[in-house]
Amino acid sequence: MSVWDVRYARQFAEQLADLPGATYDRVEGPVDILASNPGLAHRYDPQYEAARPPVPCRSYPVPRTTKVIYLVTDEERRELTMLFLGDAREDPRQRFERMGW
């Protein structure tokens, strides 16, 4: 299986840079895994309209953390764009309010 290209949206890169070292490493590992196995991320389809992100995306919970990676897949280009790093403890109705577009 070939590896997909991975891009970081500006906000995701900033969120990643602000993480403590151990959490940073725990997020970076799954990004590499998703590059080889994008099907591991599930279609994000929240129950609340207010919890919907500005674009359709997929989500992947980062093991051993409260972090959730939200990403967009482009199958034609075989490209993943890491959009946003959420926290599973957040109110889902307000999750994307701090997301810059």
Side-chain angles (χ1 to χ4, degrees), residues 5 13 18 21 23 30 36-37 41 44 50-51 54-56 67-69 76 78 95 101:
D5 290 330
D18 288 341
T23 305
S36 297
N37 304 285
Y44 181 67
V55 296
K67 301 300 181 190
V68 179
I69 298 171
E76 187 175 303
R78 297 185 56 80
R95 178 168 290 136
W101 283 96

Side-chain angles (χ1 to χ4, degrees), residues 40-79:
L40 293 175
H42 299 282
R43 188 172 67 101
Y44 181 67
D45 187 20
Q47 293 178 332
Y48 306 106
E49 184 65 33
R52 295 194 189 284
V55 296
C57 65
R58 301 177 80 72
S59 67
Y60 183 82
V62 179
R64 299 178 34 216
T65 73
T66 60
K67 301 300 181 190
V68 179
I69 298 171
Y70 294 92
L71 62 140
V72 173
T73 58
D74 183 335
E75 291 188 28
E76 187 175 303
R77 290 182 167 176
R78 297 185 56 80
E79 182 177 85

Side-chain angles (χ1 to χ4, degrees), residues 79-98:
E79 182 177 85
L80 303 177
T81 302
M82 304 299 156
L83 289 179
F84 185 74
L85 187 60
D87 193 304
R89 300 170 296 182
E90 294 174 309
D91 181 341
R93 296 166 297 175
Q94 298 173 349
R95 178 168 290 136
F96 296 104
E97 285 182 0
R98 62 186 174 89

Side-chain angles (χ1 to χ4, degrees), residues 1-37:
M1 186 180 308
S2 64
V3 176
W4 288 34
D5 290 330
V6 175
R7 296 178 4 169
Y8 288 175
R10 180 180 43 84
Q11 183 159 2
F12 185 88
E14 290 169 359
Q15 290 174 303
L16 194 59
D18 288 341
L19 293 175
T23 305
Y24 178 94
D25 293 340
R26 288 187 181 133
V27 172
E28 274 292 302
V31 168
D32 294 338
I33 291 168
L34 288 167
S36 297
N37 304 285

